[in-house]
Amino acid sequence: MLAIDSSNPKGKNETSDLEARVVFPFAAGRSGSDAGCSVTLPSDTKVAVIIPTYNRWPYVCDAIDSVLGQTHKWTECIVVDDASSDGSCRRIREKYGESVSAISNPKNREKSYCRNLGVKSCEAKFVCFLDSDDILTQNSVESRLEILLKEESVVSYGITQRFNQTEEEALRHFRSRVNGELPLVEQYLAHQGFLTTDGFMISRDNMIMHGMYSEALTNMEDVELFLRLLCSLEFRSCQAIVAKTRRIDHSAQVRLNKVIKQRFALTERIRMNPMVMERIGKGFEKMQLSEYEKFLGALYHAKQYRSYRRYYRQGLKCNLTPATLKFFKRYLLSYLRIPSEEQQL
């Protein structure tokens, strides 16, 4: 079994910044004469799909199966288990053997760390990502790879479809967001949903060169990454549905806590990047307003009413609190609600 523990990285070509590295089988689990072959393939045909997972058994199996079933046969599946407590990593190794390459974190480090670790650990020329509760369409890798084989310096991306959407609805929604009349970065600032973690593919070298995911962010890390990439690289759409997304995690409290814990880390991170700040211009103000609104909403729904009132008043002073009746009513109602045990903010 080709699997590693990221607490004990070793292997050939080890470098000081490489936390784990392993040579993966590219044809493992395939049927026909190619199954199990060890032929060295042209580097521009290898694609790694990196799946971070945490307590997603057995749903992660749907994600893995969708990677193993790709029409592009030289696709490798890398699962980075983020210290799951449900035995996911062991079960994956038992179920898939050498068809899947497994990396196990000794402690929970969040999705950005896991995705970056997968990139560092692979030898594929191109990489893409898949959340463990989502699936790829059968030609997902092939559709995006066709663009990169013509010009590997770009980022290729496709359309993601929610499980409760029809294909027609997903295509119509995408086309309403991407019209070609404005620079893509401006369209993204207006409607972020058309670029997703499941939907893009990039060369491994470009991913590393442009900083990969920010491990300081536990929420909206994809937004920060896409803004950096949009300001530096050309994006090209394959115009095909490449992934289907769903939400298995029903723990709203976990999501709220992440938003609250991160607070304004996204815009603070963007503010530190002069290139992005110059490129997005007044779009930064809109991002600040959006982040503040989500933060206030998370405080209220988490029943942290005292903090909600404090940040509501602070936001009024700097024009960040939404000037809507909804947030004002929440402010008044917060005095009548029973608060939860609040975090120190």
Side-chain angles (χ1 to χ4, degrees):
M1 175 61 204
L2 292 177
I4 58 177
D5 187 323
S6 64
S7 65
N8 184 31
K10 55 186 176 181
K12 66 178 184 178
N13 299 327
E14 189 171 30
T15 61
S16 59
D17 65 338
L18 190 59
E19 299 187 53
R21 191 176 184 87
V22 66
V23 179
F24 300 101
F26 293 102
R30 304 293 182 183
S31 60
S33 60
D34 290 328
C37 74
S38 58
V39 176
T40 300
L41 299 168
S43 61
D44 60 1
T45 66
K46 301 173 184 177
V47 178
V49 182
I50 299 163
I51 305 174
T53 187
Y54 176 72
N55 288 346
R56 282 294 186 274
W57 186 270
Y59 301 108
V60 67
C61 296
D62 293 338
I64 293 171
D65 291 342
S66 74
V67 176
L68 298 181
Q70 288 298 298
T71 54
H72 181 68
K73 66 172 62 178
W74 307 126
T75 301
E76 57 177 316
C77 182
I78 302 173
V79 178
V80 183
D81 181 73
D82 201 19
S84 295
S85 60
D86 63 357
S88 291
C89 196
R90 171 183 54 80
R91 291 173 169 179
I92 289 169
R93 291 169 181 172
E94 290 174 353
K95 179 177 176 67
Y96 292 100
E98 292 190 350
S99 297
V100 173
S101 301
I103 300 174
S104 178
N105 286 340
K107 64 178 182 179
N108 187 269
R109 302 293 296 270
E110 294 288 349
K111 289 188 291 186
S112 292
Y113 175 90
C114 294
R115 292 172 183 142
N116 290 347
L117 182 57
V119 173
K120 295 174 185 177
S121 301
C122 78
E123 294 188 334
K125 186 159 189 177
F126 302 103
V127 295
C128 57
F129 305 88
L130 180 64
D131 285 344
S132 57
D133 45 6
D134 300 333
I135 63 172
L136 298 181
T137 57
Q138 196 170 22
N139 65 343
S140 175
V141 169
E142 183 177 1
S143 297
R144 290 174 287 173
L145 183 60
E146 285 179 358
I147 294 174
L148 289 169
L149 290 181
K150 295 175 183 176
E151 189 172 351
E152 67 181 62
S153 63
V154 305
V155 178
S156 65
Y157 71 101
I159 303 166
T160 55
Q161 171 189 351
R162 296 193 303 271
F163 267 68
N164 61 353
Q165 275 184 318
T166 65
E167 287 190 13
E168 182 179 350
E169 288 172 335
L171 290 169
R172 186 167 60 247
H173 182 265
F174 173 81
R175 289 164 184 156
S176 71
R177 298 294 188 264
V178 183
N179 54 37
E181 296 179 0
L182 295 171
L184 200 62
V185 65
E186 293 184 24
Q187 296 180 61
Y188 183 69
L189 287 169
H191 303 288
Q192 295 170 359
F194 70 86
L195 284 179
T196 66
T197 296
D198 293 341
F200 83 105
M201 182 182 292
I202 188 171
S203 74
R204 179 178 179 271
D205 287 346
N206 260 338
M207 191 67 179
I208 293 172
M209 182 186 306
H210 291 279
M212 301 200 287
Y213 284 94
S214 171
E215 295 175 14
L217 299 178
T218 58
N219 185 52
M220 306 291 281
E221 70 284 347
D222 55 338
V223 175
E224 193 271 342
L225 172 67
F226 286 138
L227 284 174
R228 273 190 283 120
L229 294 179
L230 282 164
C231 291
S232 303
L233 300 172
E234 181 181 350
F235 278 60
R236 293 184 187 172
S237 174
C238 67
Q239 300 292 320
I241 293 175
V242 298
K244 296 184 178 181
T245 64
R246 57 185 172 180
R247 176 170 285 175
I248 300 299
D249 184 5
H250 299 295
S251 177
Q253 189 61 47
V254 172
R255 295 193 295 273
L256 293 175
N257 287 342
K258 285 188 175 183
V259 175
I260 293 169
K261 182 179 180 181
Q262 180 171 292
R263 287 197 281 179
F264 317 120
L266 172 62
T267 49
E268 288 171 0
R269 189 82 182 176
I270 293 171
R271 196 196 302 272
M272 295 166 56
N273 191 321
M275 177 192 68
V276 175
M277 286 293 291
E278 181 181 358
R279 186 70 178 83
I280 67 176
K282 292 184 177 180
F284 180 73
E285 297 175 8
K286 295 180 181 179
M287 293 193 65
Q288 278 188 305
L289 292 171
S290 176
E291 187 175 41
Y292 207 89
E293 179 177 346
K294 290 174 183 176
F295 176 66
L296 283 177
L299 287 175
Y300 186 82
H301 289 298
K303 300 181 181 179
Q304 297 190 24
Y305 300 127
R306 184 179 303 170
S307 292
Y308 177 85
R309 292 193 295 270
R310 177 156 61 92
Y311 280 96
Y312 181 93
R313 292 191 296 267
Q314 287 183 8
L316 286 177
K317 296 177 182 178
C318 48
N319 297 318
L320 289 173
T321 294
T324 63
L325 181 60
K326 178 176 73 172
F327 280 85
F328 178 65
K329 287 175 64 176
R330 287 177 177 176
Y331 179 82
L332 297 178
L333 289 171
S334 69
Y335 285 98
L336 306 176
R337 306 293 192 191
I338 300 175
S340 63
E341 183 177 345
E342 298 198 17
Q343 301 174 8
Q344 294 296 318
L345 295 177

